[in-house]
Amino acid sequence: MTGVYRSALEQPNPQTWKQMESLVREGRVVELRRRLCSRMTFGTAGLRAEMGAGFASFNLFALLFCLIYILNFLTVTYCPFSFDNDDNTYLAKYVPDLKTRGLVVGFDTRAQTSSGCTSERLARLTAAVMLCKDVPVYLFSTYVPTPFVPYAVMKYGAAAGVMITASHNRKEDNGYKVYWHNGAQISSPHDKEILRCIEESSEPWPESWNEDLVESSLLRRDPLEDVSRWYMEELNTICFHRELNAMSPLKFVHSSFHGVGHNYVQRAFQQFGFPPPIPVPEQKDPDPDFSTVRCPNPEEGESVLELSLRLAEREEARIVVATDPDADRLAVAEQNDNCGWKVFTGNELAALLGWWMLFNWKEAHPDPADTERVYMLATTVSSKILKAFARIEGFHFEETLPGFKWIGNRIHELKKTGKEVIFSFEESIGFLCGNMVLDKDGVSTAAVVAEMAAYLHTKNLSLKQQLINIYEIYGYHISRTCYVICNDPPTIHKIFSRLRNFGGPGVYPESCGDYCITHIRDVTTGYDSSQPDKKCVLPLSRNSQMVTFTFQNGIVATLRTSGTEPKIKCYTEFCAAPGERDISSLEEDLRKVTAALVEEFLEPDKNNLLRRSV
């Protein structure tokens, strides 16, 4: 191994050197090619990959490449290692005062002994890359929720932000999100240009490895105290009934899923006037092995919430809230009288939160004319319930591509025109109440859910009962989500190529099971049969696969690849008209369509796919 490959192995990390040495000694050419002949790419939530040696894995060397070219992208025109070349600067176009605005850096609690890769060390190296070029850095001194990074970017007016996290991915993974100076995650073309710079590179600057700069540089600042205080104070903008909260008899249990959320959710509840929620002791403190759950993703439902639910039963707590390891997503469960637990889906919780935010906004703005500037946003694979709200209530609703980066950037654009986005969500339990952060936020949403439950309790209503009330007014929106696991990219390509040529070259399916398909939208290719010009209204997304089918019976279904995990996801929803109450019939049709989509279009047995339901 020579050149850049040898440099990748001789980084100051003996663990990854030993990994590669072992692969070479064992003659594992395929694995070596996988690790060294491809690179990470930006998905719907930044870069994520398994921790380990090689360019395709997440490690110190790969991180430095990305960071150096983020820095170059902020300052120069696609010229690797030309930071001081003033003739070709991006400064005039993007960040002319980078060296006064600086960069925000945060990290979660992930760590892997075998590769020597910890989120904290990766964050320190991130800071070193910037500090060695005299760029100020706001580096958090301890782990923080992901939303704190974009919040800090906006509060400080920083040039950009980096959060080292793999969120709810398996323990072997790590990654990072990059935020632009508007506080939203980067999207095209920034992500593509950063990756292009990385691919043209040779190796990092030697001084990039100098972690001592974090301690010695006068340009490094710890934003923890200020950002924590500002964030908690600004929660008052989405707290509407503090006095009522203080008197509520309800008790809440919180699980932080071995991640960063415990201290921050405790403080958020107190800011809302509640006593701190009861923590799940086994999951309260950080644990990079996620030792009490088979999967660190609260979206998986009751099976991963077992400790939380049992503790709530013992403590007679009615509501469980669970943040994922980086605290940007939230799961909620409610104890029903003598009927076990109701774990809300992301779409169901969005119906409740959307209703709650609109209810309180209208209370503060009685003039119906004010509704003209109100917006709610959702990703296109999420429930259409907010669209039903908008149709009746008169505010604006918009859809975006999957991924909160699209929502965050759209909020930024709307705010510039004087519009107010009061709620946004994605179905994978990602919510944003208000717009104080331009990313999903599990910490603030946990407190909002508690306040909503406390208010409804004064009306003798549970969350589940209020959800039914919402459906009675706006129409039942019944959805199902499932996915298959596929670790082979060529198989994924083959599956979607077959869909695009199902009835011959360029001919999509006309039916699925016993159900007729009336319209097809393919965001990957830009095709939409429902439009007069057959072109998608949503932007193209060529780096991922996403096809949406509209059925004659009103069901809308989407098949798409995950932007963060080796999954093909299937989303289906039946949007009934207000007054339609034959729920069992709707659910049966939805079940049949979902099953047919998976079996006929994905062919799990033939393609060796592992089935999962959510």
Side-chain angles (χ1 to χ4, degrees):
M1 297 181 193
T2 59
V4 70
Y5 294 144
R6 187 165 181 81
S7 295
L9 301 181
E10 290 179 345
Q11 56 179 289
N13 188 342
Q15 291 98 324
T16 48
W17 166 256
K18 289 178 181 178
Q19 286 183 14
M20 282 300 195
E21 199 172 41
S22 175
L23 292 173
V24 172
R25 187 169 54 249
E26 295 168 9
R28 296 174 60 184
V29 177
V30 174
E31 179 63 10
L32 286 166
R33 184 177 293 114
R34 184 189 72 81
R35 292 190 183 215
L36 293 173
C37 297
S38 62
R39 295 186 185 270
M40 299 179 289
T41 58
F42 282 96
T44 54
L47 286 162
R48 292 184 197 169
E50 182 178 358
M51 289 182 276
F55 300 125
S57 302
F58 203 90
N59 53 61
L60 310 181
F61 188 82
L63 175 76
L64 288 184
F65 264 128
C66 294
L67 293 169
I68 286 169
Y69 292 104
I70 290 169
L71 181 57
N72 272 321
F73 183 72
L74 287 169
T75 57
V76 305
T77 306
Y78 315 141
C79 295
F81 310 114
S82 57
F83 184 83
D84 296 317
N85 182 352
D86 293 330
D87 294 329
N88 293 318
T89 64
Y90 244 64
L91 291 170
K93 184 175 181 181
Y94 286 124
V95 192
D97 48 359
L98 171 65
K99 289 193 175 183
T100 58
R101 296 177 70 170
L103 184 92
V104 176
V105 182
F107 58 93
D108 67 10
T109 58
R110 286 179 177 258
Q112 187 184 67
T113 304
S114 62
S115 67
C117 217
T118 72
S119 291
E120 182 173 7
R121 188 182 179 197
L122 293 167
R124 290 170 64 88
L125 284 168
T126 300
V129 169
M130 303 298 160
L131 293 170
C132 79
K133 293 299 179 182
D134 298 325
V135 176
V137 174
Y138 299 94
L139 172 64
F140 285 95
S141 56
T142 188
Y143 54 81
V144 292
T146 288
F148 272 38
V149 170
Y151 182 76
V153 168
M154 291 192 293
K155 297 300 283 188
Y156 287 115
V162 172
M163 176 68 187
I164 310 294
T165 181
S167 190
H168 58 280
N169 276 40
R170 60 187 191 144
K171 67 180 181 181
E172 291 84 4
D173 293 352
N174 213 329
Y176 69 94
K177 292 183 175 181
V178 181
Y179 295 90
W180 202 232
H181 51 76
N182 63 4
Q185 289 183 61
I186 60 168
S187 56
S188 296
H190 303 322
D191 52 359
K192 293 180 176 60
E193 294 302 340
I194 289 169
L195 289 175
R196 191 165 83 98
C197 287
I198 295 168
E199 289 167 0
E200 293 173 355
S201 65
S202 55
E203 58 184 285
W205 301 312
E207 60 267 39
S208 302
W209 298 103
N210 185 9
E211 288 183 63
D212 292 340
L213 282 173
V214 171
E215 308 300 337
S216 62
S217 175
L218 297 177
L219 294 174
R220 183 266 170 123
R221 178 177 169 186
D222 178 9
L224 181 65
E225 184 177 342
D226 284 345
V227 169
S228 297
R229 184 180 72 256
W230 295 336
Y231 176 92
M232 294 301 165
E233 289 173 353
E234 198 164 344
L235 286 180
N236 292 331
T237 62
I238 52 173
C239 176
F240 307 107
H241 305 278
R242 199 172 195 280
E243 292 183 2
L244 188 68
N245 298 342
M247 297 184 293
S248 178
L250 290 183
K251 293 200 290 185
F252 303 88
V253 162
H254 170 241
S255 171
S256 55
F257 263 61
H258 299 294
V260 306
H262 171 71
N263 292 334
Y264 303 99
V265 171
Q266 296 269 307
R267 289 185 62 181
F269 267 63
Q270 291 173 302
Q271 190 70 27
F272 268 59
F274 291 107
I278 302 164
V280 179
E282 302 92 334
Q283 299 173 339
K284 175 174 71 71
D285 298 321
D287 173 8
D289 290 326
F290 307 115
S291 54
T292 68
V293 290
R294 62 173 177 80
C295 168
N297 184 357
E299 188 186 4
E300 295 289 326
E302 194 163 344
S303 63
V304 294
L305 295 172
E306 180 72 18
L307 287 174
S308 303
L309 304 183
R310 301 295 82 82
L311 175 62
E313 290 168 357
R314 294 194 301 272
E315 296 286 346
E316 297 183 339
R318 185 169 169 177
I319 307 288
V320 166
V321 292
T323 47
D324 69 342
D326 69 325
D328 66 345
R329 304 195 310 153
L330 183 78
V332 177
E334 179 182 58
Q335 191 169 23
N336 297 315
D337 296 334
N338 303 317
C339 297
W341 287 88
K342 163 67 176 175
V343 180
F344 294 93
T345 67
N347 287 331
E348 290 171 335
L349 196 51
L352 286 162
L353 289 166
W355 163 79
W356 178 248
M357 294 304 293
L358 181 63
F359 169 75
N360 286 286
W361 193 90
K362 289 168 68 176
E363 288 284 302
H365 301 81
D367 185 353
D370 288 341
T371 309
E372 177 62 28
R373 64 185 177 89
V374 172
Y375 279 72
M376 291 192 189
L377 307 179
T379 59
T380 189
V381 296
S382 301
S383 173
K384 313 304 178 190
I385 187 65
L386 299 187
K387 184 177 182 180
F389 286 5
R391 190 182 303 120
I392 291 175
E393 301 293 345
F395 64 87
H396 299 275
F397 168 73
E398 288 188 7
E399 285 187 335
T400 72
L401 288 173
F404 235 90
K405 63 183 180 182
W406 300 104
I407 288 178
N409 280 288
R410 183 56 182 153
I411 293 174
H412 174 71
E413 293 300 318
L414 289 169
K415 287 174 71 174
K416 288 195 300 185
T417 63
K419 309 302 183 183
E420 185 173 0
V421 181
I422 62 173
F423 179 65
S424 308
F425 88 103
E426 60 184 7
E427 55 76 36
S428 53
I429 60 173
F431 312 101
L432 176 60
C433 299
N435 52 55
M436 60 181 273
V437 181
L438 297 188
D439 203 356
K440 53 186 177 285
D441 185 352
V443 176
S444 62
T445 304
V448 171
V449 166
E451 182 175 68
M452 176 171 56
Y455 174 85
L456 289 172
H457 185 71
T458 67
K459 308 297 182 184
N460 296 314
L461 289 169
S462 66
L463 294 175
K464 182 180 178 181
Q465 288 168 333
Q466 179 58 21
L467 181 64
I468 294 171
N469 291 340
I470 291 168
Y471 287 155
E472 291 285 340
I473 297 170
Y474 301 102
Y476 278 85
H477 285 61
I478 303 168
S479 60
R480 296 175 71 97
T481 303
C482 62
Y483 63 87
V484 295
I485 297 174
C486 181
N487 291 295
D488 183 47
T491 297
I492 292 175
H493 178 79
K494 180 181 72 174
I495 288 170
F496 281 89
S497 177
R498 174 174 171 264
L499 288 177
R500 295 182 180 108
N501 301 280
F502 202 83
V507 180
Y508 291 82
E510 296 179 352
S511 64
C512 182
D514 297 328
Y515 299 91
C516 179
I517 297 170
T518 56
H519 296 298
I520 290 175
R521 183 186 65 193
D522 188 341
V523 174
T524 307
T525 65
Y527 172 74
D528 188 340
S529 67
S530 70
Q531 298 298 316
D533 61 359
K534 307 301 181 187
K535 294 182 179 180
C536 280
V537 175
L538 288 172
L540 264 68
S541 183
R542 295 192 185 280
N543 292 335
S544 63
Q545 304 283 352
M546 187 169 76
V547 182
T548 298
F549 307 91
T550 300
F551 289 83
Q552 194 171 44
N553 63 1
I555 290 176
V556 178
T558 296
L559 296 173
R560 66 172 282 260
T561 50
S562 169
T564 57
E565 298 167 285
K567 296 177 179 178
I568 303 175
K569 294 185 174 182
C570 176
Y571 312 84
T572 53
E573 184 176 38
F574 204 131
C575 305
E580 190 172 350
R581 293 183 174 85
D582 186 6
I583 306 307
S584 59
S585 173
L586 298 180
E587 289 179 333
E588 180 61 16
D589 277 351
L590 194 65
R591 185 193 65 79
K592 289 180 179 178
V593 168
T594 305
L597 277 167
V598 172
E599 294 302 323
E600 294 184 21
F601 290 174
L602 300 185
E603 301 180 303
D605 294 333
K606 178 181 177 180
N607 292 311
N608 297 315
L609 310 176
L610 297 176
R611 297 175 175 87
R612 294 287 188 272
S613 61
V614 178

